[in-house]
Amino acid sequence: MARTHYIAGNWKMNTSKAEAVKLASDLVSALKGKTNKFMIGVPFVYLDAVSQVVKGSNIILAAQDCAATANGAHTGEVSTEMLKDLGVQCVILGHSERRHEIGESDELINKKVRRALNEGLEVDLCIGELLADREAGNAEQVCAFQLSADLAGVTEEQMKRVTIAYEPVWAIGTGKTATPEDAEAIHKFVRGYIAKLYNQKVADEVIIQYGGSMKASNAPELLAQPDIDGGLIGGASLKAETFVPICEC
Ligand code: PGA
């Protein structure tokens, strides 16, 4: 089954406002007319400015997190209502930096996933094992646990708006990439697990991105794997010169 290639940039806590606007406008010009699916995950404070730049383009605007609840007394939180107000279409959730630096639990991630989907947004759900899990032979179990916990209560219909990003934590920002074969093995497992949680149709249609030190030099081999449908790119997404070639793979 032919799935669209989906290349996403996760800018994390980087760029100034001027750099964000410049990067977004460079990407709008460079990706114009290209048919793959593209997304950029922009820091909250620059979403408004970047939204004006990507409006009407083929680039999906994403936030890097959202609150699990509706507007109200939640100091420091950013709601899905606010994000939608700015033209945001997608939210990256469950990123390992939020799981392991901030301490987000799967229970909280699940609340955010359901909140975003119930509000009509797309979700890019990140999963992946720590080095210790991999060394103990537990990579698949960790991914299976995260998938079942984070997707609890998500309907088959809502799964059309869910992308999974498999990001082995030991490969993020470290320059270490999983070999295409190792990555493919987990992607295949994840697809099979989605088939168990839902059905084969949902599994065949779900886009599964790889993330972790992806760059133009290793992207072609990774993207050539049958179950790797795209990438969630951190470091290499911060410059048009390094991100666009991945989008063109
Ligand atoms: P990286 O980050 O490409 O810098 O490894 C990927 C990610 O965390 O999404």
Side-chain angles (χ1 to χ4, degrees):
M1 120 131 247
R3 287 176 294 268
T4 318
H5 267 174
Y6 183 9
I7 306 294
N10 176 8
W11 294 0
K12 307 191 179 182
M13 195 172 73
N14 288 299
T15 77
S16 65
K17 184 176 173 184
E19 286 163 352
V21 166
K22 165 88 170 54
L23 178 54
S25 56
D26 288 349
L27 294 178
V28 167
S29 330
L31 300 178
K32 197 174 176 189
K34 301 208 185 300
T35 50
N36 289 341
K37 187 168 172 178
F38 306 112
M39 175 267 262
I40 48 177
V42 175
F44 283 137
V45 288
Y46 304 141
L47 282 167
D48 199 12
V50 170
S51 181
Q52 314 302 321
V53 179
V54 299
K55 203 184 236 166
S57 77
N58 57 348
I59 301 175
I60 293 172
L61 182 63
Q64 300 171 13
D65 187 30
C66 70
T69 51
N71 277 347
H74 305 288
T75 304
E77 291 282 81
V78 178
S79 69
T80 50
E81 294 94 317
M82 293 169 181
L83 296 177
K84 289 198 295 181
D85 194 21
L86 299 183
V88 169
Q89 297 150 275
C90 177
V91 193
I92 299 171
L93 291 171
H95 192 278
S96 64
E97 285 146 19
R98 299 205 61 84
R99 291 177 188 268
H100 302 296
E101 279 180 20
I102 317 277
E104 281 195 10
S105 66
D106 287 282
E107 194 189 349
L108 178 61
I109 293 164
N110 174 247
K111 280 192 188 140
K112 292 181 175 188
V113 166
R114 284 185 292 144
R115 174 83 200 153
L117 291 171
N118 289 338
E119 285 285 291
L121 292 163
E122 293 186 24
V123 167
D124 200 343
L125 173 65
C126 306
I127 60 164
E129 81 284 0
L130 296 164
L131 184 59
D133 300 320
R134 171 151 290 255
E135 286 174 348
N138 291 335
E140 290 185 355
Q141 281 98 308
V142 169
C143 292
F145 174 79
Q146 291 173 342
L147 285 170
S148 48
D150 302 348
L151 293 174
V154 172
T155 66
E156 178 176 342
E157 187 58 28
Q158 288 178 326
M159 280 301 288
K160 292 184 183 149
R161 283 183 283 120
V162 174
T163 297
I164 307 293
Y166 167 60
E167 302 203 306
V169 181
W170 47 272
I172 296 177
T174 57
K176 285 185 202 154
T177 328
T179 64
E181 295 72 29
D182 283 346
E184 169 60 19
I186 301 283
H187 278 240
K188 196 168 176 201
F189 170 80
V190 167
R191 198 175 302 287
Y193 198 76
I194 299 272
K196 269 192 223 159
L197 289 177
Y198 293 90
N199 55 51
Q200 196 56 48
K201 183 170 180 288
V202 173
D204 285 340
E205 288 175 0
V206 73
I207 293 179
I208 309 176
Q209 299 168 323
Y210 170 79
S213 299
M214 197 190 242
K215 41 189 182 293
S217 57
N218 58 28
E221 250 195 310
L222 286 160
L223 294 172
Q225 302 299 315
D227 290 292
I228 302 184
D229 309 315
L232 180 58
I233 293 116
S237 73
L238 290 172
K239 286 201 173 103
E241 307 89 88
T242 48
F243 187 60
V244 172
I246 306 175
C247 297
E248 288 171 339
C249 277

